[in-house]
Amino acid sequence: MVDPWLPVGYVLPDGAAVARVIREGADWQIFETRGDGHALVATEALARRWLAAGVVEAGALAPFAFGGATLAALSCGAGHALGSVDGIPSPRNKNEALAFADALRATRAIDRDSALHDAIYVERLTRLLPTYSLSARVPDDVVLGAWLTGGVPVSVNAFRRLRSLMGWMGEPHLREVLDHAGFTAGAAPEVSPAAEGARPAAAQAGRFVLAGRPELENFLNEHVVDIVTNRERYATLGVGFPAPIILHGPPGCGKTFAVERLVEFLGWPSFAIQASTVASPYIHETSRKVADVFNRAMQQAPSVLIIDEMEAFLADRERGGASSHHRVEEVAEFLRRIPEATGNDVLVIAMTNRIDMIDPAILRRGRFDHVVKVDMASEPEVRALLNTLVGELPHDRGVDVPALAARLAGRPLSDVTFVVREAARLAARAGKSAIDQTSLMQALGETPARDTPAASRKIGFL
């Protein structure tokens, strides 16, 4: 239990009244203050050390005497973060991440040697104040990676892993954060001539790129990306925030993949409504949980709200049977919330494998303006996805993407992804340093299509 240096209600020199102490070190304590703010209180010795190092300017900390000791204090309101680096929450949005990155870089420009893994982050000063503890030093690249991911000790130099742990932040935005902190994000993977079509120049010009789905890529660029990028121009002609979208089609055809890539590109927080987390057997409970997700999405707008397996919530009320009165309430909640969310800058995207089951009131324009079918992949679409997947991994120049694409055409894109991943596993098992055509063809041979007779399937493949 922390023993506070100051009593509850004590008024600091700047007028902030302290409440409970929430964090402490040998020479400092952090208090909550009335009004949802925070205050840093440090010993005179530590404050002088910060001044001598130049990480704090004269006058930033207000000295005061209490109980025979001289202390120094700095307080901030609820709008500014203040806490120990190993104790404050990870960022909730890009702006919070950029603020921390700026503080790290600004501190390092002044003090190149002090450890920062247990420093005190003072957003108001754009500084990380060292605490000069004797604990083992952690490199700055891991300090930043651990804070961004909420405690995972990953280096920001391991960009691919960092990105996978921060699915809510798009790649361009994450690279911008690392640049602000003074780090160069891992270079984009080198693409061989066999995969040169993987990331066209448009991807570097603000255009959303969706490998393997050119038609869906064009649709999302036209109806989402261009509108949010040029909002004033569209608003002049009465076009508001992008309308809700339904993606439907057979399982494994890339609906989820497309939505994940779009969320990464936009860099917005995302929220999901899924049967596994929202559905409840109790009366009114599902509707309450649905409303809660919508509320959180609107509070953090602009954001993306994803309704997965929408037939679980929005099936035709006429087919409800004994549970129809519960379904009527759930559908009504969605009917009310969807236009409200769109009006508050929430992009609503729903996905389903059974469009025939959806309630007609949901499908009409004004609720979901766009109903887009995502079907089995054509050969050019498979080739485009293979170019991207193979291009991101070490691979032999003899890889024949067109030949592989011809064999995978007409199958779900999830099969394409699995074949490449399985080829990588086979290559690693064989002691190879890169994927080659032999590994890819072996993986293809061991990945039967879903319509293959059960007797001919190998153990482990469905």
Side-chain angles (χ1 to χ4, degrees), residues 386 389-400 404 417-428 432-441 443:
L386 282 170
L389 296 176
V390 173
E392 290 178 343
L393 299 171
H395 62 277
D396 189 88
R397 289 183 175 271
V399 169
D400 189 350
L404 191 62
T417 303
F418 181 82
V419 166
V420 175
R421 186 172 67 247
E422 179 65 6
R425 186 188 68 81
L426 293 170
K432 300 175 183 178
S433 59
I435 295 176
D436 58 9
Q437 189 71 6
T438 301
S439 302
L440 286 164
M441 296 309 292

Side-chain angles (χ1 to χ4, degrees), residues 149 175 242 271 377 387 406 431:
T149 59
R175 289 183 183 276
F271 301 84
N387 280 334

Side-chain angles (χ1 to χ4, degrees), residues 118-380:
D118 53 0
I120 300 168
Y121 172 39
V122 186
E123 184 183 2
R124 176 180 162 188
L125 301 180
T126 315
R127 292 288 187 276
L128 301 180
L129 304 183
T131 57
Y132 310 109
S133 70
L134 299 178
S135 59
R137 184 188 181 103
V138 177
D140 289 354
D141 56 300
V142 178
V143 171
L144 179 58
W147 184 72
L148 287 172
T149 59
V152 181
V154 57
S155 167
V156 296
N157 295 320
F159 185 74
R160 187 172 294 174
R161 186 182 176 208
L162 179 69
R163 183 184 170 198
S164 69
L165 293 168
M166 298 186 64
W168 61 272
M169 181 180 289
E171 179 178 339
H173 303 288
L174 183 55
R175 289 183 183 276
E176 183 181 351
V177 170
L178 300 193
D179 181 66
H180 273 243
F183 293 96
T184 301
E190 184 176 344
V191 181
S192 71
E196 63 183 356
R199 286 186 62 82
Q204 302 172 6
R207 178 178 173 82
F208 170 63
V209 174
L210 184 61
R213 288 298 185 194
E215 293 184 5
L216 183 56
E217 173 188 309
N218 290 335
F219 169 83
L220 293 173
N221 273 296
E222 181 176 348
H223 292 278
V224 177
V225 175
D226 196 54
I227 293 175
V228 300
T229 304
N230 303 287
R231 292 195 66 174
E232 292 186 4
R233 187 177 73 202
Y234 280 91
T236 301
L237 296 175
V239 178
F241 197 74
I245 300 166
I246 293 176
L247 302 181
H248 72 98
C253 287
K255 299 184 292 294
T256 302
F257 177 81
V259 174
E260 289 175 348
R261 297 293 80 76
L262 181 62
V263 170
E264 286 184 6
F265 179 85
L266 294 172
W268 296 347
S270 62
F271 301 84
I273 294 177
Q274 301 170 310
S276 60
T277 57
V278 173
S280 171
Y282 300 105
I283 297 175
H284 309 310
E285 183 66 11
T286 298
S287 297
R288 186 194 65 79
K289 290 183 176 180
V290 167
D292 180 63
V293 177
F294 272 97
N295 287 336
R296 286 189 286 117
M298 287 187 286
Q299 288 168 4
Q300 297 195 39
S303 61
V304 182
L305 192 151
I306 304 159
I307 307 172
D308 198 9
E309 296 180 341
M310 65 184 297
E311 67 274 9
F313 306 100
L314 299 171
D316 191 342
R317 287 166 287 186
E318 297 300 320
R319 303 182 183 183
S323 63
S324 61
H325 61 288
H326 300 315
R327 190 169 303 282
V328 167
E329 179 183 316
E330 293 167 14
V331 173
E333 185 66 28
F334 278 96
L335 292 175
R336 183 174 70 87
R337 287 290 186 163
I338 288 170
E340 179 186 4
T342 302
N344 284 277
D345 290 359
V346 176
L347 176 61
V348 180
I349 303 179
M351 295 180 286
T352 180
N353 302 328
R354 296 294 307 275
I355 193 68
D356 57 298
M357 292 179 60
I358 306 303
D359 194 291
I362 288 290
L363 294 177
R364 74 169 178 81
R365 284 189 168 86
R367 298 270 163 54
F368 283 94
D369 283 2
H370 307 290
V371 180
V372 181
K373 186 174 185 179
V374 184
D375 215 334
M376 295 293 185
S378 65
E379 185 173 336

